[in-house]
Amino acid sequence: MSERSFNIASYMDARAAEQPDQAAVKFPKRRGDSVDWLQLNFRELNTLADEYARGLIQQGVRRGDRVSLLVRPSLEFIPLVFSVFKVGAIPVLIDPGMGRKAFLSCLERMAPRVLIAVPLVHAVRGLFRAAFRSVEVGVTAGGTTGWWGGVTLEGLRIASDEPFESLHTARDDQAAILFTSGSTGPAKGVVYTHGIFDAQARFIQEMYGIEAGEVDLACFPLFGLFSMALGMTVVIPELDPTKPAKADPAKLVHAIQSQACTSAFGSPAIWKNVARHCQRVGTRLPTLRRILMAGAPVPARLHEAFSGILSEGAEVHTPFGATESLPVASIGSREVLRETAARTREGAGTCVGRPAPDMSIRIIAIDDAPIERWSQVRELPAGEIGEICVRGPVVTPRYEAEPEHTRAAKIVEVDADGSEHVVHRMGDVGYLDPQGRLWFCGRKRHRVETSTGTLYPVPCEAIFDEHPDVFKTALVGVEGEPRIIVQLEPDAKKAPSKVAVELLELGSAHPHTRDIRKVHFHPSFPVDVRHNAKIHREQLADWAARR
């Protein structure tokens, strides 16, 4: 008997059969001060995905073809992605916000045969021929075709009375290439298999108790694929996905309240603004059962803020991971506020929780060189800071067309039975506590080596973040000298010179920060595009060196 299909599109086939009339996706259409919510139920969404899939086949799209998707969030986005999975093609998802040069470089390396994009992207193909030279099939989304030819998204649809049979895929068949944000190094294409997507869907359901029929606010639209696969209605809010921190919190709150959302996902930068808005106007969000915050450490004060905004029993969860492995671990706000927040404020790092199902987390001695075999590592005991390494069903096997980066990030572990497994080096540092919880201390490359020892960003920054006039801080090193860079709150009460004195007093009270003797004030930290939360510390270090 053949193995079941692991094609993530099979989840959508099941939802259409089991919940045909439930809303699958809702998308806002603004009319002045009011919003209309366009929607597709699961039957309509799966039918549309089938129509796109037939059209892709007619256009000559084959199993294994790489499909670059450069379309704006829309009602059609999710069925379009599922249609690519249905035909066995491989969606390539590159964040256009990473900058033109980096984006074109990523596109050229991936060499997609199929381009599904907005008219503007097609129009510039003639200007950047090298990056687009692999494209043979073009689909224009949200407009009409021009000199580039091809077919429109509407013209791609082919109706039929018979359902489209999603291609059977095995666990290890390649499913997609998802790019890292490029916030801590060059953006890299991460290879996902259908088995990894399947495991992620199972993990998310098990870890957070998600039930079919719930309603999810997807502030990162791609994450909505998992929500929908699990039978949730996905609400796509009004926000620019390349600038999530600038999203209007009032519009997000309106979406949650008007659509009775039970779940929500987004970066801490989004939820900081939502919390402030709710506190300012006295609004609560009683329908939410959970908020998932990911992309950067979540400060304890944000957990505290939502404890007064959510209903009793609801919780903020902070899944920890990376594009290369997600989820790795998770913790909820009740445990944070009850047990770990006080330690975080004292500089112990940020507790990101216990391992996800079937995931193994181990800490090894910090080494910047590649490590080929697990037998070559030195594993550290609980309580000792080192590099975080993970193994399990959601660990991705490699970077596409990046052998050197793969060698630097992957270790082969051989079990007693001779089977080989990939261990991923997260590029993060941290430690395990006696309860088996993981504590995050920052990126390995952001540690600061001084004459008296090694300083890690998160434990140091936590001390200075306690000042009421501080919005965020960043530890950087300038020729071995540790410095703290500060972005003040917009409504800071004290002058920077006074704040600097008080920050140095705070630092002097703790052994790991007493050697930090220089403070710089920066008007607005450079952050990543995807989450608007990861600080570009290298840029800040260069800036500080010029002060």
Side-chain angles (χ1 to χ4, degrees):
M1 183 172 162
S2 63
E3 185 182 45
R4 73 172 177 89
S5 178
F6 282 83
N7 194 326
I8 192 69
S10 64
Y11 278 86
M12 192 51 54
D13 297 332
R15 299 285 80 79
E18 297 166 8
Q19 305 159 238
D21 298 320
Q22 179 190 316
V25 59
K26 294 185 176 183
F27 189 81
K29 184 175 182 180
R30 181 157 289 278
R31 297 180 184 276
D33 293 333
S34 63
V35 176
D36 293 336
W37 291 92
L38 310 178
Q39 70 177 52
L40 295 170
N41 62 32
F42 278 106
R43 184 197 303 107
E44 293 166 337
L45 186 147
N46 201 47
T47 296
L48 182 56
D50 284 354
E51 291 176 353
Y52 288 149
R54 293 188 198 95
L56 290 173
I57 294 293
Q58 186 182 70
Q59 292 296 314
V61 178
R62 304 181 294 262
R63 179 178 188 146
D65 279 347
R66 292 182 185 172
V67 181
S68 179
L69 282 162
L70 296 168
V71 299
R72 296 185 179 92
S74 64
L75 197 66
E76 296 79 20
F77 172 72
I78 290 177
L80 183 59
V81 176
F82 275 112
S83 74
V84 177
F85 288 132
K86 281 175 177 280
V87 303
I90 299 169
V92 178
L93 300 172
I94 308 171
D95 193 337
M98 67 175 62
R100 186 182 70 185
K101 184 177 180 180
F103 168 76
L104 291 173
S105 173
C106 293
L107 190 67
E108 186 172 2
R109 293 201 311 274
M110 293 303 102
R113 181 170 175 264
V114 185
L115 176 64
I116 304 176
V118 296
L120 178 62
V121 173
H122 284 287
V124 301
R125 283 166 55 185
L127 299 176
F128 306 101
R129 294 184 184 277
F132 291 95
R133 63 171 174 255
S134 61
V135 175
E136 297 177 10
V137 179
V139 179
T140 303
T144 59
T145 60
W147 63 265
W148 55 89
V151 65
T152 64
L153 192 58
E154 185 61 29
L156 187 69
R157 298 173 60 177
I158 298 178
S160 173
D161 293 333
E162 296 296 321
F164 183 92
E165 186 173 350
S166 298
L167 193 78
H168 185 285
T169 58
R171 186 192 303 269
D172 294 330
D173 286 346
Q174 188 170 341
I177 299 174
L178 310 183
F179 267 78
T180 62
S181 65
S183 58
T184 53
K188 300 175 287 292
V190 181
V191 171
Y192 268 68
T193 65
H194 284 277
I196 290 172
F197 277 138
D198 182 77
Q200 286 178 319
R202 290 188 291 105
F203 283 13
I204 292 167
Q205 185 170 38
E206 181 178 339
M207 291 167 68
Y208 304 116
I210 290 171
E211 300 175 350
E214 289 197 51
V215 182
D216 181 49
L217 184 79
C219 296
F220 184 44
L222 190 62
F223 199 82
L225 295 175
F226 292 107
S227 304
M228 199 171 299
L230 297 174
M232 302 175 81
T233 297
V234 171
V235 175
I236 298 177
E238 293 181 275
L239 62 78
D240 181 348
T242 68
K243 299 175 182 177
K246 295 187 180 299
D248 185 342
K251 291 179 179 178
L252 298 179
V253 168
H254 174 74
I256 293 169
Q257 294 176 331
S258 66
Q259 302 307 306
C261 293
T262 60
S263 191
F265 175 86
S267 79
I270 291 174
W271 296 110
K272 283 180 182 178
N273 292 336
V274 171
R276 285 178 174 173
H277 171 80
C278 289
Q279 291 172 328
R280 185 173 64 253
V281 302
T283 296
R284 292 174 60 86
L285 303 173
T287 63
L288 284 178
R289 302 179 191 176
R290 71 188 74 79
I291 298 176
L292 306 185
M293 296 187 193
V298 177
R301 60 180 127 178
L302 192 53
H303 284 287
E304 291 168 348
F306 274 100
S307 67
I309 294 169
L310 302 179
S311 61
E312 186 176 353
E315 198 165 8
V316 170
H317 300 271
T318 57
F320 170 76
T323 307
E324 297 91 337
S325 182
L326 182 71
V328 166
S330 185
I331 192 170
S333 54
R334 282 194 287 275
E335 186 173 3
V336 169
L337 295 177
R338 185 177 62 246
E339 299 182 28
T340 70
R343 291 186 59 197
T344 295
R345 290 191 174 103
E346 291 297 310
T350 298
C351 185
V352 293
R354 294 173 176 80
D358 303 323
M359 294 297 292
S360 168
I361 302 175
R362 288 168 289 181
I363 309 299
I364 67 172
I366 294 175
D367 190 339
D368 293 318
I371 302 173
E372 185 177 350
R373 296 279 169 172
W374 188 257
S375 58
Q376 299 170 303
V377 311
R378 180 166 67 89
E379 196 166 344
L380 301 180
E384 193 167 339
I385 296 176
E387 183 175 0
I388 302 169
C389 294
V390 297
R391 170 181 155 177
V394 299
V395 169
T396 54
R398 67 183 188 279
Y399 299 110
E400 186 64 30
E402 298 276 3
E404 289 305 308
H405 283 120
T406 297
R407 200 165 72 89
K410 308 294 181 180
I411 306 173
V412 176
E413 182 173 21
V414 183
D415 286 350
D417 61 2
S419 60
E420 294 189 348
H421 303 270
V422 174
V423 178
H424 179 65
R425 303 171 70 178
M426 294 290 290
D428 297 321
V429 291
Y431 62 94
L432 293 168
D433 69 12
Q435 290 77 41
R437 296 177 301 198
L438 177 64
W439 291 72
F440 172 74
C441 296
R443 294 291 291 173
K444 181 174 68 171
R445 65 186 297 168
H446 293 154
R447 71 191 192 276
V448 177
E449 304 281 3
T450 74
S451 58
T452 57
T454 303
L455 300 182
Y456 301 100
V458 173
C460 292
E461 291 159 8
I463 302 303
F464 301 105
D465 286 345
E466 284 301 295
H467 193 290
D469 282 343
V470 166
F471 178 62
K472 63 178 74 169
T473 61
L475 172 75
V476 301
V478 178
E479 297 180 349
E481 179 189 37
R483 302 185 186 185
I484 200 75
I485 315 297
V486 180
Q487 182 179 336
L488 293 172
E489 290 280 7
D491 56 353
K493 303 291 191 299
K494 297 178 181 177
S497 57
K498 177 66 173 174
V499 174
V501 171
E502 293 175 352
L503 287 174
L504 293 177
E505 289 175 355
L506 280 173
S508 66
H510 299 270
H512 65 293
T513 53
R514 62 170 55 127
D515 290 335
I516 301 173
R517 306 305 304 165
K518 283 193 178 180
V519 178
H520 300 295
F521 293 91
H522 193 282
S524 181
F525 281 8
V527 294
D528 69 298
V529 172
R530 183 172 298 172
H531 301 292
N532 287 183
K534 296 176 181 176
I535 300 167
H536 289 300
R537 286 176 172 80
E538 290 88 349
Q539 293 181 30
L540 287 179
D542 291 342
W543 174 84
R546 298 191 299 270
R547 305 302 290 171

